[in-house]
Amino acid sequence: MRLPDRLAIGDLLGTATIVALGLFALFLLVAPSVIVLIISFDTRAFVSFPPQGFTFDWYLRVFEQRVLVEAMLNSLQVGITVTLLCIILGVPTALVCVRGQFRGTTALSIFVLIPHMVPGIVLGVAVLFAAAAIGVSPSIGLQSISITVFVLAVMVRTLMSRLQRMDPALEEAAANLGASPFQTLRTVTFPLLMPAILAGAVFTFIEGFDNISVAIFTHGFRDRPLPVELLALVQTTNTPLVAAVSGVQIVLAIVALILVASSIGLDGVND
Amino acid sequence: MTLARDLSLASAADAAQVLRIDKVSKRFGTFTVLDDCSIDVSEGEIVTLLGSSGCGKTTLLRCIAGFLTPEKGAILIDGRNTIPVPVNRRPVGVVFQSYALFPHLTVEGNVAYGLKMHGVPRREIARRVADALASVSLRGFETRYPSQLSGGQQQRVAIARVLVLEPRVLLLDEPFNALDAKLRGTMQVELRELIKRLGMTAIFVTHDQEEALTLSDRIAVMRGGRIEQVAPPDEIFDRPATAYVADFIGLSNFIPAEVRDGKVTLPDGQTLATEAQGPVRVMIRPHNLRAIPQGPGPWQGQVRFQRNVGPLIEYTITAGQSDMHVVALRRDRIRPWGEGDAVSLEVIDPEFCKVYPEA
């Protein structure tokens, strides 16, 4: 079948526009990270683009500076704590919100979302004041808990969308075949929820590691997390060292995403 | 002597009865979904709960399985009330509409699941899983995942998964819905044969009357939470207890009439004895009507529409105010009526008509 020429041209223009827009969006998403990575290999001692020369020196220096390494370890600790807390709190919350047979499940699922809707700074300040009022001083623990409150919604939403798409007959079948409620949870619900738990874990870990808006108010005085340390560094120096620290974070995020995507597939991450 | 024989007869009848649904009622909020439902099911019998959506058939099935608890009545299996028995301890096996196969387990894992939950020793599990898969002709599929199976194969895994536990009652919730129309017919016959070969007692839920007529020993027609009639397929079709059943199963013609002296006069002049009184509706099946060349008979009509359905010819014949459905067998030597032809109608066998009180 032959299509009129005008339509073919219109089609071509439309496709070209969509491709161009797509490429532009991709550029906006990727460019900052790429530029930071490029700068981090610059041989000059000040941040400038385009770079001249190529060196790994800045990365070696990152790991030579005790403050930065400690900040990294602090952030790692926060990231892991936040992830574990989100799993421990998120799984039961999502189960109740989706499978709960009582009034108020919708209210609960919205309630969990609220902290995520509040700007991080507001949450951070609120936690700081509240903690001071009950005599708790900022620490890695406080920072972990407040970031958990902040990102729990991500975990719960991820799990909820998976649960909502899970055939409720699967759990009924397990019960019908003799499984107790706990056995059903262990042998059917959990295994089927696992991809969503992993996907949620990646996002909550990255948030725990990366968050600054909440962390800046709640981190321990001596236990600065990496983003806070980085902010301090930007204010005092102008070397590609800052870019190298960012580079480490970018690589970490990419590795985490690849690990999860390869184990559960990108569809799991999309949940 | 007589008493003793009566008692032994009674106990024999009890032994044969596997499932007894006794005056079960269930509400959702203020809405009554099941209203005083009673059915007795004997050993090895296949009973279908048939009705349109919202009639309560699935709710009744879910009550038997234990997913729902009725407010009133009892559900007895082998004479024991199961209402207080938790879902995972009931001797019933459910084949779900979606089959609900565990996607993360292989065929073997799915079939072994129930045995594991019941703490059956490993060696026995292997043997029983192999037997169950053999009985549904799925040997060689052990390591496949459900997503790698066709719809028909998935259905057989779902059946093997419950059969392996040797339940007293098999519950099947619209098991052919997920299959394409072509496969359904053969699968229905195969499933009936399989259940009969295993001597299982089964309850089917369906909205498809053909499926019910194919599969069942008895059909329970449900409407608005009540059971209208429980009877073998022939009886349901030939002697529907209510006008609703007559209308629901197969095509029917309803004609308003008046009872005089215990008799109803059909439009073609024949009469039919009845116990009903006052204004009634007479049900005439389309294959109990004949269109003949227009003669002096009192029932005259005109063919409005005709179509060939394989060996049958279906006519819609306008007679007076109403359209009558007529079905005739297709024969070589008889030229079918064409649209617009004037004909006379007559009832082939008045005894085969049913009289219902005017609703």
Side-chain angles (χ1 to χ4, degrees), chain A residues 80-165:
Chain A
I80 291 169
T81 314
V82 166
T83 306
L84 291 179
L85 282 175
C86 279
I87 292 172
I88 293 166
L89 297 172
V91 173
T93 310
L95 280 172
V96 165
C97 283
V98 177
R99 297 272 191 265
Q101 299 274 326
F102 52 89
R103 295 171 74 91
T105 51
T106 313
L108 180 64
S109 63
I110 292 167
F111 182 74
V112 174
L113 267 185
I114 292 173
H116 199 68
M117 297 305 180
V118 172
I121 291 182
V122 174
L123 186 76
V125 172
V127 169
L128 183 66
F129 287 171
I134 57 168
V136 174
S137 46
S139 64
I140 287 187
L142 188 70
Q143 185 196 341
S144 303
I145 291 169
S146 46
I147 296 177
T148 301
V149 171
F150 188 53
V151 293
L152 185 61
V154 175
M155 178 66 88
V156 171
R157 281 280 142 179
T158 309
L159 295 177
M160 276 177 72
S161 87
R162 175 87 188 121
L163 276 171
Q164 272 154 354
R165 285 187 297 128

Side-chain angles (χ1 to χ4, degrees), chain A residues 4-266:
Chain A
D5 285 7
R6 191 176 296 177
L7 185 72
I9 290 166
D11 266 4
L12 206 66
L13 271 176
T15 313
T17 312
I18 289 168
V19 169
L21 279 172
L23 286 175
F24 183 61
L26 194 68
F27 172 77
L28 287 182
L29 285 172
V30 174
S33 301
V34 172
I35 288 171
V36 165
L37 283 174
I38 291 172
I39 290 172
S40 69
F41 294 113
D42 199 349
T43 46
R44 294 175 300 180
F46 53 92
V47 172
S48 173
F49 195 82
Q52 291 171 352
F54 181 87
T55 177
F56 273 115
D57 272 5
W58 299 111
Y59 283 90
L60 295 177
R61 282 217 216 154
V62 168
F63 292 100
E64 276 165 12
Q65 296 223 13
R66 245 190 78 202
V67 195
L68 285 178
V69 174
E70 268 174 18
M72 252 181 238
L73 291 176
N74 287 340
S75 280
L76 205 63
Q77 201 182 327
V78 173
I80 291 169
T81 314
V82 166
T83 306
L84 291 179
L85 282 175
C86 279
I87 292 172
I88 293 166
L89 297 172
V91 173
T93 310
L95 280 172
V96 165
C97 283
V98 177
R99 297 272 191 265
Q101 299 274 326
F102 52 89
R103 295 171 74 91
T105 51
T106 313
L108 180 64
S109 63
I110 292 167
F111 182 74
V112 174
L113 267 185
I114 292 173
H116 199 68
M117 297 305 180
V118 172
I121 291 182
V122 174
L123 186 76
V125 172
V127 169
L128 183 66
F129 287 171
I134 57 168
V136 174
S137 46
S139 64
I140 287 187
L142 188 70
Q143 185 196 341
S144 303
I145 291 169
S146 46
I147 296 177
T148 301
V149 171
F150 188 53
V151 293
L152 185 61
V154 175
M155 178 66 88
V156 171
R157 281 280 142 179
T158 309
L159 295 177
M160 276 177 72
S161 87
R162 175 87 188 121
L163 276 171
Q164 272 154 354
R165 285 187 297 128
M166 204 187 282
D167 183 0
L170 288 170
E171 283 154 327
E172 287 176 353
N176 177 251
L177 294 167
S180 65
F182 179 73
Q183 282 173 319
T184 303
L185 206 61
R186 189 173 57 80
T187 57
V188 175
T189 317
F190 268 144
L192 294 177
L193 216 47
M194 206 33 112
I197 294 178
L198 278 177
V202 171
F203 289 118
T204 50
F205 175 79
I206 291 173
E207 188 66 40
F209 191 89
D210 251 8
N211 177 284
I212 184 157
S213 56
V214 177
I216 204 162
F217 296 102
T218 54
H219 70 83
F221 182 62
R222 287 194 190 78
D223 299 316
R224 283 178 155 188
L226 192 59
V228 173
E229 200 60 63
L230 196 62
L231 187 65
L233 204 64
V234 173
Q235 284 162 345
T236 54
T237 65
N238 186 26
T239 65
L241 184 68
V242 180
V245 177
S246 307
V248 170
Q249 280 175 279
I250 291 165
V251 170
L252 199 78
I254 290 171
V255 167
L257 212 59
I258 287 172
L259 272 181
V260 170
S262 62
S263 68
I264 60 171
L266 271 174

Side-chain angles (χ1 to χ4, degrees), chain B residues 3 22 35 60 114 118 144 151 172 185 240 245 267 269 271 298 316 328 338:
Chain B
L3 184 69
D22 192 21
D35 188 7
L60 185 54
H118 282 89
R144 300 261 193 110
L172 301 104
V245 175
T271 56
T316 307

